[in-house]
Amino acid sequence: MHKPVQWGILGAAKFARQFMGPAIHAASGARLAALATSDPAKAEPFQDFCPDLKVFDDYEALLASPEIEAVYIPLPNHLHVEWSLKALDAGKHVLCEKPITMRAEEFDALIHKRDQTGLLAAEAYMIVHHPQWQHVRDLIADGAIGDLAHVTGAFSFDNRTDTGNIRNRAETGGGGLRDIGVYVIGSARFATGQEPDTVQSAIRWEDGIDAFTEIRAQFPGFTYSAYVSIRMHPHQEMVFHGERGLIRLTAPFNARVFGEARVELHRPGLEVLVTRFPADDHYKLQVEAFYWSVRAGDEYPCPLEFSRGTQAMIDRVFDGATPL
């Protein structure tokens, strides 16, 4: 085992406090060493589970610390590219929350800087690290459902009362598509290895953000339909429907939080085989994959090029959408 990667977090975001901070702290090959926040009170919950955490009062000071090797960036969407580039310039590996960019072409600067510095830079697209998605990809590739005919996806929650949330603010890159559309789109791309030929969409706008988005697409060999909303009852599901079977994921995106991760394989004769994943933590697995890439040179499961493909499809959804 190599020495642990020394991590810092830029900003005391709620998501970092509840999920990624504890995951970094718990992961093998990682040490949560520092947090940057201008409000000392926001650091206290992090220090509850990580008492030796060093707290910086600004982001630049953390990036200047020679102790820190990698940074996790949970800032508002519109700040992701700026601070990812600053971190790479400071010699730090980067794991940045999704969406790491607002448009696909913004990936080019990140990919160039990654290659120039030789550092690891990646979007925190945690689901590809979960074994349920690796299982689904293998099932499809092995022909467990025959030829794939159609994929459906859904992801929704309701945060209309949380008016201060960055997801409800257009100026911070809010809306449902960037926040959760990456899951219904990226997971289909990951599981099938395919890119869409055509994309159609419709969006219901609300104060400058997309509150509901419906997507239809044609991939090579199969059709696709999905919706995302931040104004509907919580729900998530992905279904891969083949000519001789069907794969259904019951908690595809928030495993353990939304419910137990289960992959159902529906086969002829109404037979259903269920594979359960009750304990896997995809946030922790993501940090551990990052460690093996940094320390041992292993291929990272979610490179920037993959994330760029998801953003390119999101761009097509936005650009071609009809209003609802």
Side-chain angles (χ1 to χ4, degrees):
M1 193 78 172
H2 305 276
K3 66 177 182 178
V5 174
Q6 304 295 306
W7 284 85
I9 299 177
L10 297 187
K14 178 181 178 182
F15 187 82
R17 182 179 73 243
Q18 291 184 334
F19 296 103
M20 279 303 297
I24 295 170
H25 183 62
S28 299
R31 175 176 174 262
L32 181 55
L35 170 73
T37 176
S38 59
D39 185 352
K42 290 184 177 181
E44 293 176 2
F46 290 85
Q47 292 171 316
D48 287 342
F49 64 82
C50 188
D52 62 344
L53 187 72
K54 184 173 183 179
V55 179
F56 293 89
D57 60 7
D58 67 70
Y59 304 155
E60 298 280 6
L62 187 150
L63 293 182
S65 171
E67 177 188 13
I68 302 304
E69 299 176 89
V71 293
Y72 166 64
I73 302 176
L75 299 173
N77 294 342
H78 69 298
L79 299 175
H80 287 174
V81 171
E82 174 188 355
W83 283 98
S84 292
L85 291 172
K86 285 183 177 181
L88 290 168
D89 280 332
K92 314 302 182 187
H93 303 284
V94 172
L95 181 64
C96 181
E97 263 311 317
K98 50 79 196 158
I100 195 170
T101 74
M102 301 287 284
R103 297 284 300 186
E105 57 267 22
E106 293 180 284
F107 271 92
D108 298 339
L110 291 172
I111 291 171
H112 175 74
K113 185 66 69 174
R114 177 202 65 188
D115 294 345
Q116 182 185 58
T117 60
L119 297 164
L120 176 58
E123 184 179 63
Y125 193 62
M126 75 291 184
I127 67 168
V128 301
H129 303 277
H130 198 290
Q132 70 169 337
W133 278 107
Q134 295 155 18
H135 180 53
V136 168
R137 183 174 57 178
D138 290 344
L139 287 173
I140 294 172
D142 293 343
I145 59 173
D147 291 337
L148 182 62
H150 187 69
V151 176
T152 60
F155 197 179
S156 64
F157 62 89
D158 189 348
N159 74 344
R160 76 187 71 202
T161 61
D162 189 5
T163 55
N165 193 298
I166 60 172
R167 295 165 184 81
N168 285 320
R169 295 165 52 194
E171 68 272 17
T172 56
L177 191 56
R178 291 189 177 99
D179 186 46
I180 56 178
V182 294
Y183 294 116
V184 297
I185 289 173
S187 64
R189 294 179 58 250
F190 178 78
T192 66
Q194 299 292 329
E195 303 292 349
D197 293 322
T198 62
V199 178
Q200 296 177 307
S201 57
I203 295 178
R204 185 172 72 245
W205 296 94
E206 181 181 303
D207 297 325
I209 62 166
D210 53 296
F212 173 87
T213 301
E214 182 180 22
I215 310 163
R216 295 186 181 275
Q218 177 70 57
F219 284 75
F222 67 92
T223 51
Y224 168 93
S225 61
Y227 68 86
V228 295
S229 176
I230 55 175
R231 295 293 185 268
M232 295 171 66
H233 180 77
H235 175 62
Q236 55 184 264
E237 183 180 51
M238 289 294 295
V239 175
F240 297 82
H241 201 152
E243 294 178 346
R244 294 188 289 105
L246 177 149
I247 299 167
R248 175 175 176 261
L249 294 89
T250 60
F253 312 127
N254 292 125
R256 301 197 307 166
V257 177
F258 185 76
E260 181 186 61
R262 300 195 309 273
V263 175
E264 301 174 356
L265 175 59
H266 296 245
R267 304 203 299 186
L270 300 181
E271 179 185 23
V272 181
L273 302 179
V274 180
T275 305
R276 291 179 164 83
F277 303 85
D280 295 282
D281 182 342
H282 47 201
Y283 301 113
K284 179 172 172 284
L285 292 170
Q286 176 178 240
V287 176
E288 291 173 349
F290 202 93
Y291 161 82
W292 285 110
S293 183
V294 168
R295 289 288 187 252
D298 289 6
E299 183 177 356
Y300 192 68
C302 188
L304 290 176
E305 286 82 357
F306 174 83
S307 298
R308 192 189 196 284
T310 297
Q311 186 60 52
M313 186 168 171
I314 290 174
D315 292 349
R316 293 173 71 179
V317 172
F318 274 126
D319 294 346
T322 58
L324 288 173

